[in-house]
């Protein structure tokens, strides 16, 4: 358990909780603690789904600019790789991951949210990539993940301007998946995450890998990735359970074992 980031597990759901007052600024320590929490969530078999949550006040308002201001070019050459990979560690969790967003998700905080599979957003939240206002660009996946999510033109407009995106616009453009009252963000995220707890976990894992890896390659390569993952699931106990249950009792009644 880190000083500012911890993994809390209850009922098959792991919550990666950011808690660095006042705005959950992502300094180097927080970045590395996010990586450690993501790796723990990946390896723990009792975690079936993950929520990334910054608390009732704010998700994460961005990088620690005071820390970054003191860095030279050579400093950032060394740090940019670990920065990127700390956020990518969340994207690589082979389980459904939901960002529960309150307050602000800006800069590195928005990039952390983009690394999740889904985003539940408070109705008064603001998201954005305002790095351009500091004379830089997003450096932890923002230019790549945002454009894949909302399209190149919208991503360029958001990044070039550095403006904030409110919850309703985020929902309209696909940056948010659900918008709920601020007080309900974590509860709504847990309700969604709970739908994955009893799922065939290796099938969910394979589906996530097929989609994510497929987006990185051409269609023919993506289809081959899907084919191989599809065939691999015939080695799992859950495939046997699921098909037997379907034949004997109809759809939606299988009790999966996660193996």
């Amino acid at each position: 358990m880190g000083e500012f980031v911890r993994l809390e597990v209850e009922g098959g759901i792991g919550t990666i909780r950011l808690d660095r007052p006042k705005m959950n600024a992502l300094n180097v320590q927080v970045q590395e603690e996010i990586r450690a929490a993501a790796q723990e969530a990946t390896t723990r078999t009792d975690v079936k789904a993950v929520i990334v949550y910054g608390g009732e006040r704010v998700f994460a308002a961005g990088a620690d600019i005071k820390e970054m201001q003191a860095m030279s070019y050579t400093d950032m050459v060394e740090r940019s790789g670990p920065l990127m990979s700390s956020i990518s560690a969340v994207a690589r969790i082979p389980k459904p991951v939901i960002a529960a967003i309150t307050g602000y998700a800006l800069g590195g905080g928005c990039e952390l949210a983009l690394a999740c599979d889904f985003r539940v957003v408070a109705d008064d939240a603001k998201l954005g990539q305002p790095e351009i206002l500091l004379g830089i660009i997003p450096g932890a996946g923002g230019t790549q993940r945002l454009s894949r999510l909302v399209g190149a033109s919208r991503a360029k407009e958001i990044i070039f301007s550095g403006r904030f995106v409110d919850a309703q616009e985020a929902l309209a453009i696909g940056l948010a998946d659900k918008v709920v009252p601020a007080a309900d963000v974590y509860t709504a995220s847990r309700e969604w995450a709970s739908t994955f707890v009893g799922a065939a976990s290796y099938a969910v894992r394979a589906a996530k890998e097929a989609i994510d890896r497929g987006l990185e390659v051409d269609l023919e390569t993506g289809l081959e990735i899907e084919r191989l993952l599809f065939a691999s699931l015939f080695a799992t106990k859950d495939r046997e359970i699921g098909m037997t249950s379907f034949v004997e009792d109809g759809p939606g009644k299988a009790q999966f074992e996660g193996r």
Side-chain angles (χ1 to χ4, degrees):
M1 184 180 296
E3 181 181 0
F4 300 123
V5 182
R6 60 186 180 270
L7 178 68
E8 302 167 345
V9 180
E10 181 182 357
I13 300 168
T15 299
I16 296 177
R17 175 69 162 91
L18 278 62
D19 188 14
R20 186 190 179 211
K22 296 178 179 179
M23 301 298 284
N24 288 333
L26 306 181
N27 67 354
V28 169
Q29 181 178 342
V30 171
Q31 293 163 26
E32 292 307 310
E33 290 181 4
I34 288 172
R35 183 201 311 280
Q39 291 171 342
E40 183 182 353
T42 295
T43 58
R44 285 186 59 160
T45 58
D46 60 334
V47 173
K48 304 300 183 181
V50 177
I51 298 169
V52 181
Y53 182 51
E56 296 178 355
R57 184 167 180 263
V58 64
F59 183 72
D64 189 325
I65 303 304
K66 289 183 179 179
E67 179 184 71
M68 193 175 289
Q69 182 185 20
M71 292 185 176
S72 67
Y73 165 72
T74 54
D75 291 334
M76 191 50 74
V77 166
E78 296 298 322
R79 185 61 213 164
S80 57
L83 165 62
M84 181 77 74
S85 64
S86 68
I87 301 301
S88 291
V90 174
R92 288 196 299 269
I93 296 172
K95 303 164 186 181
V97 182
I98 300 169
I101 300 172
T102 56
Y104 295 97
L106 303 173
C110 188
E111 290 170 307
L112 177 59
L114 289 169
C116 300
D117 299 305
F118 311 108
R119 282 150 293 280
V120 176
V121 178
D123 55 8
D124 60 354
K126 306 289 185 183
L127 298 84
Q129 301 286 173
E131 289 89 345
I132 205 83
L133 305 179
L134 302 174
I136 57 174
I137 66 171
T143 65
Q144 302 305 301
R145 291 194 175 99
L146 184 60
S147 58
R148 284 166 169 77
L149 191 63
V150 305
S153 181
R154 283 198 179 100
K156 286 176 182 178
E157 188 276 322
I158 291 168
I159 292 171
F160 291 1
S161 67
R163 69 178 180 87
F164 294 175
V165 177
D166 66 29
Q168 290 303 322
E169 182 185 358
L171 183 64
I173 66 176
L175 180 53
D177 297 287
K178 293 183 181 181
V179 172
V180 300
D184 298 335
V185 165
Y186 185 68
T187 300
S189 298
R190 281 198 67 91
E191 288 175 355
W192 196 353
S194 69
T195 65
F196 303 113
V197 170
S201 54
Y202 278 98
V204 173
R205 176 176 183 155
K208 178 170 179 173
E209 183 175 356
I211 294 167
D212 288 350
R213 297 300 184 189
L215 287 171
E216 300 169 358
V217 298
D218 62 89
L219 177 59
E220 287 302 316
T221 304
L223 291 170
E224 182 64 7
I225 292 170
E226 179 184 293
R227 184 187 70 80
L228 292 170
L229 288 166
F230 167 73
S232 73
L233 292 170
F234 280 72
T236 66
K237 180 67 173 178
D238 280 347
R239 192 280 309 176
E240 180 182 339
I241 291 170
M243 290 191 173
T244 300
S245 176
F246 179 87
V247 170
E248 294 180 356
D249 303 314
K253 297 180 177 134
Q255 299 293 313
F256 295 111
E257 299 178 4
R259 59 190 181 96

